[in-house]
Amino acid sequence: MLNIDIVKYEKEIYDLKSKIDKFRPFSSVQLNNLKSWFKIWFTAQSNAIEWNSFTNEEVKILVEDWITVWWKTLKEVKETQNLAELTDSIWEFFESDFILTEKFLLDLHKKLLTWIEKENLWKYRDIQVFISGSEDKLPSSKEVKKLMKEFITFCNTETKNPILKISKIHFDFVKIHPFVDWNGRIARLLMNLYLIKYSFLPIIFPVVTRLEYIQSLWKSKTENDFYKYFLWQTYENMSDYLRFFED
């Protein structure tokens, strides 16, 4: 597991945010460039964590030119198109008073699975699910509704430490696992929606850190290990953003 100083990383992240904030308001060109870049890279990397084979370049060609290579499956194509479209939509909540609802989550899940599957749409799971390679026992399907009600309440509660809250949003959602599938991608979308809501910029978990990411969620006994991973990646992403604006 990662061995980092939580307090130090939190301070450095907020310091980076202050430096980036000096470039606000972003010009329309800057914001459009950010959105375009993030859509391609987030879609490719978030899907790759779930074993989708599209590369960054292939995502770009598919999303911008509607062209794909013949050996890609229809499922991979639709996964890519759906996630890219929803990635665009999170910017609507930039510095907004967004309130999470059950309907929003169900809509999100349905849009991600459009043309991919017909079952398990517009509802929480009604079966027990398991995480391959993990000893963690996920909540029973009967517990999901209550846990999600508590989760939504937490998401809509204000905080003095948004970084910690956003990490917990991702962690808790994955641990509840409210849907049969696509929980990881939805957790990463929610994470970025709340980063944008709290005036941060969205982040990407690169597939090259997949092992650390998965271990922090499923091989750890404490939530702190995921928080350390989240801080590490937030710091790396924000450092990249600062270089973008300084250039």
Side-chain angles (χ1 to χ4, degrees), residues 56-106:
N56 293 343
E57 293 76 14
E58 289 166 344
V59 170
K60 186 177 189 301
I61 294 170
L62 175 64
V63 169
E64 295 181 356
D65 302 320
W66 288 69
I67 298 172
T68 189
V69 288
W70 64 267
W71 60 84
K72 301 297 182 182
T73 66
L74 180 58
K75 180 175 182 288
E76 285 189 312
V77 171
K78 294 310 301 181
E79 283 179 348
T80 303
Q81 290 174 324
N82 291 352
L83 185 56
E85 182 178 339
L86 284 169
T87 300
D88 258 348
S89 70
I90 65 172
W91 293 93
E92 297 173 15
F93 307 104
F94 191 56
E95 299 177 331
S96 76
D97 295 325
F98 170 75
I99 301 296
L100 185 65
T101 64
E102 182 181 89
K103 182 180 183 301
F104 179 89
L105 286 171
L106 294 174

Side-chain angles (χ1 to χ4, degrees), residues 106-243:
L106 294 174
D107 279 342
L108 191 65
H109 184 252
K110 183 177 180 181
K111 288 173 182 176
L112 281 169
L113 287 169
T114 298
W115 299 107
I116 295 174
E117 69 167 74
K118 296 180 181 179
E119 297 180 1
N120 303 311
L121 296 179
W122 193 253
K123 65 177 182 177
Y124 295 139
R125 61 180 168 88
D126 54 9
I127 60 172
Q128 185 63 37
V129 292
F130 303 90
I131 303 299
S132 176
S134 173
E135 297 178 359
D136 281 17
K137 186 177 186 303
L138 296 172
S140 70
S141 58
K142 293 179 180 178
E143 297 175 280
V144 169
K145 185 81 173 178
K146 176 178 178 291
L147 290 171
M148 287 306 295
K149 184 176 180 180
E150 294 170 355
F151 172 79
I152 290 169
T153 298
F154 170 75
C155 289
N156 292 329
T157 302
E158 285 307 316
T159 178
K160 293 182 179 179
N161 186 355
I163 288 295
L164 178 59
K165 173 183 175 177
I166 295 164
S167 173
K168 185 170 176 58
I169 286 172
H170 179 296
F171 184 86
D172 286 356
F173 186 88
V174 170
K175 290 295 184 176
I176 297 170
H177 236 68
F179 300 110
V180 173
D181 201 0
W182 284 73
N183 295 281
R185 276 171 275 215
I186 293 175
R188 293 186 289 275
L189 277 171
L190 281 177
M191 170 187 76
N192 279 313
L193 189 157
Y194 276 91
L195 281 166
I196 289 174
K197 169 183 166 65
Y198 284 109
S199 302
F200 288 84
L201 290 172
I203 65 173
I204 295 166
F205 291 163
V207 70
V208 293
T209 69
R210 185 181 189 277
L211 178 62
E212 292 88 345
Y213 174 51
I214 298 300
Q215 286 183 338
S216 72
L217 287 169
W218 302 113
K219 298 293 185 181
S220 170
K221 299 300 181 185
T222 71
E223 190 175 333
N224 248 16
D225 286 321
F226 176 72
Y227 188 41
K228 289 178 181 179
Y229 173 84
F230 175 79
L231 289 173
W232 171 41
Q233 288 306 312
T234 302
Y235 174 81
E236 294 296 330
N237 277 256
M238 292 188 70
S239 298
D240 289 340
Y241 280 128
L242 183 58
R243 285 191 287 270

Side-chain angles (χ1 to χ4, degrees), residues 16-58:
L16 282 167
K17 182 181 183 302
S18 295
K19 291 176 182 178
I20 292 171
D21 284 346
K22 291 178 181 177
F23 293 93
R24 295 174 185 265
F26 304 138
S27 70
S28 59
V29 173
Q30 286 175 322
L31 198 53
N32 286 335
N33 285 342
L34 274 176
K35 289 178 180 179
S36 297
W37 171 83
F38 181 75
K39 176 167 65 174
I40 301 304
W41 279 76
F42 176 78
T43 299
Q45 298 299 302
S46 190
N47 272 344
I49 288 173
E50 312 297 339
W51 305 111
N52 183 299
S53 68
F54 268 81
T55 65
N56 293 343
E57 293 76 14
E58 289 166 344

